[in-house]
Amino acid sequence: MRTRTKVAAAISAALTAVLAGGLVSMSTAAPADQAKAPKRNIALILDYTVKKTCTVFPNYPKEGVIGNDIGWKIAPNEIVAWRYNVNSTWSMISDKKYRGSSKNPWWGFVRRECIGTSVGGEHFPTPTSSYPAGRPVPTRILQGRSAITDSHYRAVDFRVSPGTVVDERVRIDSKGTLRDKANRFVIGNVFAGWHVRTTGERSQGWTKVYVPNAKRWGWVQDSHF
Protein backbone atom coordinates (compact mmCIF):
# COMPACT_ATOMS: atom_id res chain seq x y z
CA MET A 1 0.00 0.00 0.00
CA ARG A 2 2.84 2.32 0.94
CA THR A 3 4.51 1.59 -2.43
CA ARG A 4 1.31 2.41 -4.32
CA THR A 5 1.04 5.68 -2.41
CA LYS A 6 4.60 6.63 -3.36
CA VAL A 7 3.95 5.79 -7.01
CA ALA A 8 0.75 7.82 -7.03
CA ALA A 9 2.55 10.72 -5.39
CA ALA A 10 5.34 10.53 -7.96
CA ILE A 11 2.86 10.49 -10.86
CA SER A 12 0.98 13.43 -9.35
CA ALA A 13 4.20 15.40 -8.95
CA ALA A 14 5.22 14.65 -12.53
CA LEU A 15 1.85 15.78 -13.88
CA THR A 16 2.03 18.96 -11.82
CA ALA A 17 5.49 19.71 -13.21
CA VAL A 18 4.34 19.11 -16.78
CA LEU A 19 1.30 21.31 -16.36
CA ALA A 20 3.33 23.99 -14.66
CA GLY A 21 5.87 23.86 -17.44
CA GLY A 22 3.14 24.23 -20.01
CA LEU A 23 1.68 27.21 -18.20
CA VAL A 24 5.06 28.84 -17.92
CA SER A 25 5.82 28.33 -21.58
CA MET A 26 2.41 29.73 -22.55
CA SER A 27 2.86 32.80 -20.39
CA THR A 28 6.34 33.48 -21.70
CA ALA A 29 5.18 33.02 -25.30
CA ALA A 30 2.34 35.54 -25.01
CA PRO A 31 4.47 38.73 -24.93
CA ALA A 32 6.37 37.61 -28.03
CA ASP A 33 3.09 36.99 -29.89
CA GLN A 34 1.72 40.32 -28.76
CA ALA A 35 4.88 42.04 -29.89
CA LYS A 36 4.30 40.77 -33.43
CA ALA A 37 0.76 42.15 -33.54
CA PRO A 38 0.36 45.68 -34.96
CA LYS A 39 -0.09 48.32 -32.30
CA ARG A 40 -2.53 51.20 -32.70
CA ASN A 41 -2.67 53.97 -30.16
CA ILE A 42 -4.04 56.81 -32.31
CA ALA A 43 -7.55 57.70 -33.45
CA LEU A 44 -8.11 56.88 -37.12
CA ILE A 45 -11.78 57.62 -37.83
CA LEU A 46 -12.50 61.00 -36.23
CA ASP A 47 -16.05 62.07 -35.29
CA TYR A 48 -17.23 65.61 -36.03
CA THR A 49 -20.38 67.64 -35.60
CA VAL A 50 -22.32 68.75 -38.68
CA LYS A 51 -22.30 72.52 -39.12
CA LYS A 52 -25.15 72.88 -41.64
CA THR A 53 -27.44 70.86 -43.89
CA CYS A 54 -25.54 69.64 -46.93
CA THR A 55 -25.74 67.08 -49.72
CA VAL A 56 -23.42 64.08 -49.67
CA PHE A 57 -22.37 62.35 -52.87
CA PRO A 58 -21.36 58.67 -53.07
CA ASN A 59 -18.76 59.48 -55.74
CA TYR A 60 -16.64 62.55 -56.28
CA PRO A 61 -18.89 65.11 -58.00
CA LYS A 62 -17.54 65.92 -61.44
CA GLU A 63 -18.83 66.04 -64.99
CA GLY A 64 -20.00 62.71 -66.36
CA VAL A 65 -20.53 60.94 -63.02
CA ILE A 66 -23.80 58.96 -63.06
CA GLY A 67 -26.18 58.19 -60.20
CA ASN A 68 -24.58 60.64 -57.79
CA ASP A 69 -27.67 62.49 -56.56
CA ILE A 70 -29.35 59.94 -54.28
CA GLY A 71 -30.97 62.40 -51.87
CA TRP A 72 -28.30 61.91 -49.21
CA LYS A 73 -28.22 64.72 -46.66
CA ILE A 74 -26.49 65.50 -43.38
CA ALA A 75 -27.84 68.08 -40.94
CA PRO A 76 -26.97 69.85 -37.67
CA ASN A 77 -27.10 67.64 -34.54
CA GLU A 78 -25.83 64.68 -36.58
CA ILE A 79 -22.33 63.22 -36.27
CA VAL A 80 -20.12 62.28 -39.20
CA ALA A 81 -16.59 60.95 -39.32
CA TRP A 82 -13.87 62.70 -41.29
CA ARG A 83 -11.40 60.52 -43.22
CA TYR A 84 -9.46 62.90 -45.50
CA ASN A 85 -9.70 66.02 -47.67
CA VAL A 86 -9.73 65.58 -51.44
CA ASN A 87 -8.93 69.29 -51.88
CA SER A 88 -9.80 72.59 -50.21
CA THR A 89 -13.50 72.10 -51.07
CA TRP A 90 -14.39 68.40 -50.67
CA SER A 91 -13.86 65.91 -47.86
CA MET A 92 -14.46 62.18 -47.54
CA ILE A 93 -16.71 61.37 -44.58
CA SER A 94 -18.70 58.46 -43.20
CA ASP A 95 -22.29 58.97 -42.10
CA LYS A 96 -22.98 56.76 -39.11
CA LYS A 97 -26.77 56.75 -39.61
CA TYR A 98 -26.22 54.59 -42.70
CA ARG A 99 -23.66 52.26 -41.22
CA GLY A 100 -24.73 48.72 -42.10
CA SER A 101 -27.28 49.86 -44.69
CA SER A 102 -27.64 47.56 -47.69
CA LYS A 103 -28.81 50.43 -49.91
CA ASN A 104 -27.34 53.78 -48.87
CA PRO A 105 -23.54 54.12 -48.81
CA TRP A 106 -21.84 54.95 -45.56
CA TRP A 107 -18.87 56.74 -47.17
CA GLY A 108 -19.31 59.86 -49.31
CA PHE A 109 -18.09 63.30 -50.34
CA VAL A 110 -19.30 66.51 -48.75
CA ARG A 111 -18.17 70.13 -48.82
CA ARG A 112 -15.63 70.66 -46.09
CA GLU A 113 -17.43 73.81 -44.91
CA CYS A 114 -20.34 71.58 -43.78
CA ILE A 115 -18.23 69.84 -41.11
CA GLY A 116 -18.01 71.35 -37.63
CA THR A 117 -15.55 70.46 -34.88
CA SER A 118 -14.39 67.16 -33.44
CA VAL A 119 -16.39 65.53 -30.67
CA GLY A 120 -13.46 63.43 -29.44
CA GLY A 121 -12.99 59.69 -29.68
CA GLU A 122 -13.43 57.53 -32.77
CA HIS A 123 -15.65 54.84 -34.32
CA PHE A 124 -13.28 52.02 -33.41
CA PRO A 125 -11.59 53.00 -30.13
CA THR A 126 -8.76 51.20 -28.41
CA PRO A 127 -7.86 51.58 -24.72
CA THR A 128 -5.07 54.02 -25.56
CA SER A 129 -6.48 55.86 -28.57
CA SER A 130 -8.14 59.24 -28.24
CA TYR A 131 -8.69 62.51 -30.08
CA PRO A 132 -9.57 65.81 -28.40
CA ALA A 133 -12.91 67.55 -28.87
CA GLY A 134 -13.38 70.98 -30.40
CA ARG A 135 -10.81 70.75 -33.19
CA PRO A 136 -11.58 71.71 -36.82
CA VAL A 137 -11.02 69.32 -39.69
CA PRO A 138 -7.30 69.03 -40.56
CA THR A 139 -6.19 71.04 -43.58
CA ARG A 140 -4.01 68.28 -45.08
CA ILE A 141 -4.89 67.34 -48.66
CA LEU A 142 -5.17 63.67 -49.72
CA GLN A 143 -3.75 62.42 -46.43
CA GLY A 144 -5.73 60.18 -44.11
CA ARG A 145 -4.90 59.12 -40.58
CA SER A 146 -2.69 56.06 -40.29
CA ALA A 147 -1.26 53.91 -37.52
CA ILE A 148 1.81 52.85 -39.48
CA THR A 149 3.56 56.20 -40.01
CA ASP A 150 5.34 58.43 -37.54
CA SER A 151 3.25 61.42 -38.64
CA HIS A 152 0.03 59.40 -38.16
CA TYR A 153 -0.98 60.33 -41.72
CA ARG A 154 -0.69 58.42 -44.97
CA ALA A 155 -1.13 59.52 -48.60
CA VAL A 156 -4.39 58.72 -50.36
CA ASP A 157 -3.96 57.61 -53.99
CA PHE A 158 -7.07 59.36 -55.24
CA ARG A 159 -6.14 59.03 -58.89
CA VAL A 160 -5.34 55.35 -59.24
CA SER A 161 -3.24 54.55 -62.31
CA PRO A 162 -5.05 52.73 -65.16
CA GLY A 163 -4.62 49.00 -65.63
CA THR A 164 -4.97 46.59 -68.54
CA VAL A 165 -8.65 45.66 -68.91
CA VAL A 166 -9.37 41.94 -69.34
CA ASP A 167 -13.18 42.12 -69.21
CA GLU A 168 -15.11 45.15 -70.48
CA ARG A 169 -18.39 44.44 -68.69
CA VAL A 170 -18.56 42.78 -65.27
CA ARG A 171 -21.73 43.26 -63.24
CA ILE A 172 -21.69 44.51 -59.66
CA ASP A 173 -24.11 42.43 -57.58
CA SER A 174 -24.11 44.43 -54.32
CA LYS A 175 -23.26 47.88 -53.01
CA GLY A 176 -19.57 48.24 -52.23
CA THR A 177 -16.73 50.69 -51.81
CA LEU A 178 -14.07 51.66 -54.31
CA ARG A 179 -10.60 51.83 -52.71
CA ASP A 180 -7.25 53.37 -53.65
CA LYS A 181 -5.60 50.01 -52.91
CA ALA A 182 -6.84 46.67 -51.62
CA ASN A 183 -8.70 47.37 -48.37
CA ARG A 184 -7.26 50.87 -48.03
CA PHE A 185 -8.78 54.36 -48.31
CA VAL A 186 -12.30 54.68 -49.76
CA ILE A 187 -12.34 56.83 -52.92
CA GLY A 188 -15.89 56.10 -54.10
CA ASN A 189 -18.75 53.61 -54.24
CA VAL A 190 -20.27 51.07 -56.62
CA PHE A 191 -23.90 49.94 -56.71
CA ALA A 192 -25.74 46.75 -57.56
CA GLY A 193 -26.53 46.65 -61.27
CA TRP A 194 -23.53 48.76 -62.27
CA HIS A 195 -20.92 47.34 -64.65
CA VAL A 196 -17.18 47.77 -64.31
CA ARG A 197 -14.14 46.98 -66.44
CA THR A 198 -11.91 44.53 -64.61
CA THR A 199 -8.16 44.02 -64.87
CA GLY A 200 -6.02 41.00 -64.03
CA GLU A 201 -4.60 42.83 -61.00
CA ARG A 202 -5.80 41.19 -57.78
CA SER A 203 -4.75 41.46 -54.16
CA GLN A 204 -6.18 40.13 -50.88
CA GLY A 205 -9.60 39.45 -52.41
CA TRP A 206 -9.79 42.78 -54.28
CA THR A 207 -9.63 43.53 -58.02
CA LYS A 208 -8.48 46.66 -59.79
CA VAL A 209 -11.27 48.04 -61.97
CA TYR A 210 -12.48 51.04 -63.90
CA VAL A 211 -15.94 52.30 -62.93
CA PRO A 212 -17.54 54.13 -65.90
CA ASN A 213 -20.41 55.56 -63.80
CA ALA A 214 -17.95 57.08 -61.32
CA LYS A 215 -15.33 57.97 -63.95
CA ARG A 216 -12.66 56.49 -61.69
CA TRP A 217 -10.14 53.66 -61.36
CA GLY A 218 -9.86 51.82 -58.06
CA TRP A 219 -10.16 48.51 -56.24
CA VAL A 220 -13.42 46.65 -55.56
CA GLN A 221 -13.79 43.66 -53.23
CA ASP A 222 -14.42 40.45 -55.16
CA SER A 223 -17.48 39.63 -53.04
CA HIS A 224 -19.40 42.36 -54.91
CA PHE A 225 -19.06 40.67 -58.32
Side-chain angles (χ1 to χ4, degrees), residues 151-170:
S151 68
H152 297 162
Y153 283 89
R154 188 177 188 179
V156 180
D157 185 7
F158 195 67
R159 295 168 182 83
V160 177
S161 61
T164 301
V165 173
V166 297
D167 196 327
E168 290 280 348
R169 190 174 173 82
V170 175

Side-chain angles (χ1 to χ4, degrees), residues 44-189:
L44 295 182
I45 312 295
L46 307 180
D47 284 339
Y48 284 80
T49 59
V50 174
K51 188 184 297 184
K52 59 182 181 179
T53 299
C54 288
T55 299
V56 184
F57 299 98
N59 285 295
Y60 185 72
K62 64 178 183 178
E63 187 178 354
V65 173
I66 296 173
N68 222 17
D69 188 0
I70 60 174
W72 185 358
K73 302 284 186 181
I74 56 173
N77 299 320
E78 293 185 345
I79 300 295
V80 297
W82 173 87
R83 194 65 179 105
Y84 62 86
N85 300 317
V86 178
N87 46 42
S88 60
T89 302
W90 297 96
S91 294
M92 167 60 74
I93 64 164
S94 65
D95 187 347
K96 61 170 52 184
K97 68 177 177 282
Y98 289 120
R99 185 178 178 187
S101 171
S102 61
K103 295 183 179 180
N104 205 97
W106 180 27
W107 296 95
F109 298 91
V110 73
R111 291 185 179 275
R112 198 163 83 184
E113 65 188 22
C114 303
I115 309 172
T117 55
S118 60
V119 300
E122 59 175 332
H123 279 303
F124 309 105
T126 67
T128 57
S129 66
S130 63
Y131 193 80
R135 289 192 179 182
V137 167
T139 58
R140 294 168 179 261
I141 303 299
L142 290 179
Q143 292 186 51
R145 306 245 328 153
S146 172
I148 66 171
T149 61
D150 292 337
S151 68
H152 297 162
Y153 283 89
R154 188 177 188 179
V156 180
D157 185 7
F158 195 67
R159 295 168 182 83
V160 177
S161 61
T164 301
V165 173
V166 297
D167 196 327
E168 290 280 348
R169 190 174 173 82
V170 175
R171 188 181 188 278
I172 296 293
D173 292 328
S174 59
K175 174 184 67 68
T177 54
L178 185 68
R179 306 290 183 114
D180 68 340
K181 285 183 175 60
N183 203 28
R184 279 265 299 270
F185 291 108
V186 177
I187 59 172
N189 291 277

